Amino acid sequence: MTDRIDRPERLAAVTATGLLDRRDVAGLNRLTGLAARLLDVPTVVVALVTADHQVFPGRAGTAASESPLSHSFCRFVVADDGPLVVTDARLDPRLSDNPAVPHVVAYAGMPIRVAGETLGAFCAIDTEPRAWTGDELAVLEDLTAAVESEIALEQAAHDAERSAAAFKSVLDVAHDAFVSIDPDGCVVEWNQAAEAMFGWTRTEAAGRVLTDLIVPPEHRAAHDSGLARVRETGLSIQAGNRLELPALHRSGRRFPIELTLQVTDGGGAGLRFHGFLRDISERRAAEDLLRRQAELIDAAPAAIIVRDPDGTIRSWNRGAEEMYGWPATAVLGRNIHRLLSTEFPAGEDVVDRALAGQGVWQGELIHRRADGTELVELSRQTMRAGRDGGLEVIETNADITDRRQAERALESAERQFRTQFHQSTIGQLIMDSGGTIMHANSAFATMLGLTPPEVVGRHIMYVTHPEDHEEDARKRAGLFAGDFDSYERLKRLLDVYGHPVDVRVAVRLVRDHDGTPLHLQAIVQDITAQLHAQRERDAALTALTHRNHQLEQANLLKLDLMGMLSHDIGTPLATIIGYGEVLTESPLSPRQQAAMGRILNGARRIDVLRHNVLAMCALDADRLQTTREPVLLRAALTDAVRAADMTVPISCPPGLEVLANPAHLQQIVVNFLSNAAKYGGGATIVTVAAGAGTVEIGVHDGGPGVPEALRAHLFERFTRAADVTATGHGLGLHIVASLAEANGGSVGHRDNVPSGSVFSLCLQLCPRG
């Protein structure tokens, strides 16, 4: 059971949720409360099971936020990777001695699975015995799916928060100004758009109090008061809202801005206030122009519509005709929302309440043109008294489809950068101009045996081998002097234990629009294994050179052996055979004739063996060569049978000629005949079948045949059946296959009928003149 619970992948997935140190997660508490009401049970918990305890980030009916694994019923859900339903734990052999009994008597738990791993259980608990119904278990299972989704969302938010710091550099390409301040109101981040909007450079703004830079004097007290309130309570009523405020340029010029504020917890650094600011001077001017020209709606450059609160169109200017593709005569009296298929991203009820309460609403709408094209619009709607004494709404819509598409493209680029940076298998880091690491991905941190947060804040020299410091400094100086834009080099890092890590590093200096150095980007690849492999390769090459020398010496010995076999053995052997054949023609007694026959038979076998060894050596030395010539096949086969000292019938059409080396032809056939004698009880017949330009010579036997497992390897070197008693080295068939190939032919094997084998040689017929 513990094997599944203690799996490193599962425990890592539990930790990755970010919920082990959190209690009372709102979304999970709502789901546990809903389950408690639907199932009418006193206790429902979301339990995440670790190696030694379980944590309850969501719970209803209990104050406990965790418990030891010894008290856990949920561990069985994880161990079995399936539901656990218990009517009375006191009667269950696995649970009766659990310390949680009798506080937990009836139990129903469903596995919580996220990203393929079982993290824990969503369980309902009763203090009395209970027979769970199928409907109750179905409700619990459905709510478990919602719990899984909520955990996935919490994990995604957790991951996003951890990685947010890595994308500050992206903010410099944003169109909106981005400003971040600490709890004291001092600037800690100021992007290029902020420089352009307010006239202060990043260097000038950093560390300055924000109110002194951009807030008009009459609004500074209110700004400082709001900042103090958030510091005390940790809450901001303006966070997430779009605010329109007056702002101050360095030159003293005042202009309106749109601010979206977010407040985050910076850990030990305290709260952080982040604002996206946009100069809305032009938009304000456009809105003022529209209001001034309300009576001249038809001349306005935007879509201006006058309608009843229920959506009935009363007026439709030319800008609306051009934007939506409907002439005014076709739309008057019709409902605008049905005509344009209006979608309310903020909710229709929000718009209605704002118009009814404040008399004005501004936000985004989605409309469809007459041709079906979707438009994203910035809409401003104002409620006022109509001419007939009732109410009417003036709706001014501006097409911001292109802007929204650009924003979505920026979001996509940011996501792609986050994914590439953090999921890359190659180390990446961003350093300030002094060499202090600001961001590092997991691949780089792993090289050092650290985590990314442990790497951030260290100077690059701190993790660099001392012998490489001087060259690093020289290269960095070249970057800042403009000698080159980037460089690559091999160097050594030091891991957490002080061990050197060989790396290949590529460094680039990033500058702003006026050439001022901003930060350093580095790509780092661990080449320790590569260098180790190179050293092993060099050692292997040295050993291989030595071995090649040995092989060359052995090859020379083999060539000497070939010479000896060809001359020193071949010459006396030819003499023995020659004189033996002369003696057999002389008048000898029967006993002497028999003795001479055995002598000649042995000599010819030695000669066959000599030719096989010569052929084998020639094959290994890639020196097997042959000269083919016309050979009368019947005579050649008769000579081969005689050379094998056998009496075998030959079935061969008269007059057939083949192209072959006569000695090679005889050597192949003699080998086939010898194999038939060794393994097949002796050859029964030699057949010849002529085809289209080729001829097949077959040596038949009636023996037991070739074993099935041996057939695919018959003509490979050293192939022999394991259970045969005949002597040999398994080279004969390999040699004849090579000889046949050298003579432009091939060898083969097939079963004989009714038993035995047929070994065949296929050669080219001589073309007839």
Side-chain angles (χ1 to χ4, degrees):
M1 178 181 73
T2 57
D3 289 345
R4 188 184 294 273
I5 292 176
D6 293 339
R7 283 181 59 250
E9 296 85 359
R10 193 197 72 81
L11 295 176
V14 173
T15 303
T17 62
L19 299 177
L20 292 181
D21 297 326
R22 297 182 60 187
R23 304 295 185 268
D24 296 321
V25 177
L28 297 178
N29 281 344
R30 285 196 295 272
L31 291 170
T32 55
L34 176 61
R37 293 193 298 274
L38 292 176
L39 300 177
D40 191 22
V41 293
T43 305
V44 177
V45 297
V46 174
L48 300 181
V49 178
T50 71
D52 54 8
H53 68 295
Q54 57 183 3
V55 175
F56 310 139
R59 59 191 186 274
T62 178
S65 60
E66 61 179 73
S67 72
L69 208 59
S70 59
H71 292 60
S72 173
F73 282 29
C74 299
R75 59 179 169 150
F76 295 102
V77 176
V78 176
D80 296 339
D81 195 19
L84 175 64
V85 180
V86 180
T87 300
D88 190 339
R90 296 169 300 184
L91 304 179
D92 191 303
R94 287 200 301 178
L95 303 174
S96 59
D97 60 348
N98 190 295
V101 179
H103 303 293
V104 180
V105 175
Y107 174 94
M110 298 293 172
I112 298 173
R113 300 186 182 94
V114 175
E117 293 290 347
T118 302
L119 309 183
F122 185 52
C123 54
I125 299 170
D126 206 334
T127 56
E128 300 294 334
R130 177 171 184 160
W132 303 94
T133 68
D135 288 343
E136 290 172 335
L137 295 177
V139 168
L140 189 62
E141 184 175 7
D142 290 342
L143 290 176
T144 301
V147 168
E148 292 171 344
S149 298
E150 187 68 24
I151 290 177
L153 289 173
E154 290 288 341
Q155 181 173 348
H158 176 67
D159 293 341
E161 184 176 348
R162 289 174 53 197
S163 62
F167 308 105
K168 287 184 180 179
S169 59
V170 177
L171 295 174
D172 276 335
V173 300
H175 295 294
D176 290 347
F178 175 79
V179 176
S180 182
I181 61 174
D182 64 16
D184 297 325
C186 295
V187 174
V188 295
E189 184 58 45
W190 185 274
N191 71 348
Q192 293 181 14
E195 292 181 340
M197 182 178 295
F198 298 108
W200 300 95
T201 67
R202 183 198 302 261
T203 302
E204 293 170 331
R208 295 277 300 275
V209 177
L210 182 66
T211 52
D212 296 340
L213 296 177
I214 68 171
V215 179
E218 65 271 23
H219 296 287
R220 291 174 182 173
H223 174 83
D224 293 339
S225 175
L227 196 64
R229 183 175 62 254
V230 177
R231 280 199 304 266
E232 293 173 2
T233 64
L235 300 174
S236 172
I237 60 175
Q238 303 297 350
N241 298 326
R242 293 192 177 196
L243 308 175
E244 295 186 6
L245 303 169
L248 192 65
H249 189 268
R250 182 175 188 169
S251 65
R253 175 178 60 85
R254 297 186 180 217
F255 61 97
I257 61 171
E258 180 182 81
L259 166 67
T260 302
L261 177 68
Q262 292 294 338
V263 182
T264 61
D265 186 356
L271 296 176
R272 285 285 187 271
F273 302 86
H274 313 285
F276 284 92
L277 305 93
R278 177 175 299 168
D279 184 347
I280 58 172
S281 300
E282 294 182 3
R283 192 180 75 192
R284 281 280 184 85
E287 291 171 355
D288 291 343
L289 178 62
L290 289 175
R291 283 192 293 270
R292 288 195 303 269
Q293 295 179 342
E295 299 300 326
L296 301 172
I297 292 175
D298 200 46
I304 301 178
I305 302 145
V306 179
R307 61 176 178 82
D308 292 342
D310 65 2
T312 303
I313 299 171
R314 299 302 178 192
S315 176
W316 182 274
N317 77 333
R318 186 173 301 162
E321 290 182 338
E322 295 174 353
M323 182 178 293
Y324 302 117
W326 294 105
T329 54
V331 303
L332 296 181
R334 301 186 184 280
N335 185 280
I336 187 174
H337 302 315
R338 288 196 293 270
L339 177 70
L340 302 180
S341 301
T342 307
E343 296 180 25
F344 299 87
E348 186 175 4
D349 56 335
V350 174
V351 179
D352 292 341
R353 286 198 302 271
L355 290 175
Q358 292 83 39
V360 63
W361 174 85
Q362 179 171 305
E364 291 186 7
L365 295 177
I366 297 176
H367 282 148
R368 288 193 179 275
R369 289 172 42 88
D371 60 6
T373 304
E374 185 179 278
L375 300 176
V376 180
E377 301 168 355
L378 180 62
S379 178
R380 181 177 179 83
Q381 302 180 16
T382 304
M383 184 85 77
R384 69 174 189 179
R387 295 178 180 178
D388 58 359
L391 296 175
E392 65 181 14
V393 177
I394 299 179
E395 182 173 327
T396 304
N397 297 331
D399 184 0
I400 59 170
T401 305
D402 292 342
R403 189 181 80 183
R404 280 291 171 263
Q405 289 175 345
E407 291 173 351
R408 284 193 289 268
L410 177 60
E411 292 172 359
S412 176
E414 290 173 348
R415 286 194 301 271
Q416 183 177 1
F417 176 79
R418 287 194 297 268
T419 300
Q420 183 275 333
F421 187 85
H422 286 288
Q423 296 185 9
S424 173
T425 57
I426 298 178
Q428 298 187 41
L429 64 154
I430 298 174
M431 300 171 285
D432 65 19
S433 57
T436 300
I437 299 173
M438 299 188 295
H439 311 292
N441 69 351
S442 297
F444 177 78
T446 301
M447 295 180 198
L448 307 180
L450 300 170
T451 63
E454 292 172 327
V455 174
V456 172
R458 301 192 184 203
H459 196 279
I460 190 62
M461 292 300 185
Y462 182 80
V463 296
T464 298
H465 195 286
E467 295 178 3
D468 291 328
H469 286 185
E470 183 177 349
E471 180 64 12
D472 269 3
R474 191 178 69 81
K475 290 289 188 182
R476 269 211 345 257
L479 286 176
F480 281 86
D483 296 342
F484 38 79
D485 295 328
S486 63
Y487 69 85
E488 291 188 18
R489 67 176 297 242
L490 301 181
K491 62 179 288 186
R492 290 162 295 174
L493 301 177
L494 294 176
D495 66 13
V496 68
Y497 304 107
H499 300 149
V501 180
D502 292 304
V503 297
R504 176 180 286 107
V505 61
V507 181
R508 174 177 292 276
L509 176 62
V510 179
R511 301 176 183 268
D512 65 9
H513 61 281
D514 61 0
T516 302
L518 296 177
H519 58 263
L520 296 162
Q521 293 180 339
I523 304 296
V524 185
Q525 183 178 5
D526 186 347
I527 60 171
T528 304
Q530 178 182 338
L531 292 180
H532 179 71
Q534 288 176 352
R535 297 185 189 106
E536 289 187 339
R537 183 196 63 193
D538 293 342
L541 286 175
T542 301
L544 182 59
T545 301
H546 178 68
R547 181 58 177 164
N548 283 340
H549 178 71
Q550 292 178 325
L551 291 176
E552 288 173 0
Q553 296 301 314
N555 191 50
L556 292 175
L557 179 61
K558 180 177 68 176
L559 294 176
D560 292 341
L561 176 61
M562 288 176 63
M564 182 187 71
L565 287 171
S566 179
H567 182 268
D568 295 349
I569 295 178
T571 300
L573 188 60
T575 301
I576 293 171
I577 295 172
Y579 279 104
E581 290 175 347
V582 170
L583 287 175
T584 57
E585 297 173 357
S586 302
L588 299 173
S589 67
R591 182 178 179 184
Q592 290 172 331
Q593 285 285 356
M596 282 309 304
R598 285 194 294 272
I599 291 173
L600 285 173
N601 190 29
R604 291 189 181 104
R605 288 185 178 177
I606 293 174
D607 195 40
V608 170
L609 177 60
R610 180 176 71 89
H611 282 291
N612 284 344
V613 173
L614 286 172
M616 193 71 252
C617 292
L619 282 173
D620 288 344
D622 291 329
R623 295 172 58 184
L624 180 61
Q625 298 177 357
T626 186
T627 301
R628 295 191 298 167
E629 60 185 58
V631 178
L632 280 171
L633 188 54
R634 184 176 184 86
L637 294 178
T638 301
D639 290 341
V641 170
R642 184 182 301 113
D645 195 24
M646 296 180 185
T647 302
V648 181
I650 299 173
S651 174
C652 175
L656 287 182
E657 282 188 320
V658 295
L659 281 176
N661 183 303
H664 289 172
L665 173 58
Q666 184 181 84
Q667 188 175 350
I668 294 171
V669 176
V670 169
N671 264 291
F672 282 169
L673 292 169
S674 298
N675 276 355
K678 291 179 183 179
Y679 308 113
T684 58
I685 190 171
V686 177
T687 62
V688 176
T694 61
V695 65
E696 182 190 73
I697 304 165
V699 177
H700 301 243
D701 67 63
V706 178
E708 183 68 31
L710 199 62
R711 296 183 181 185
H713 309 284
L714 263 179
F715 297 98
E716 296 176 4
R717 184 182 296 201
F718 304 121
T719 298
R720 296 183 71 246
D723 57 352
V724 300
T725 58
T727 59
H729 303 286
L731 291 173
L733 292 180
H734 172 67
I735 292 172
V736 299
S738 301
L739 291 174
E741 182 179 352
N743 281 271
S746 62
V747 293
H749 163 269
R750 64 178 181 273
D751 288 336
N752 203 359
V753 179
S755 64
S757 301
V758 178
F759 284 84
S760 61
L761 167 64
C762 186
L763 293 173
Q764 181 181 352
L765 279 170
C766 283
R768 296 186 180 275

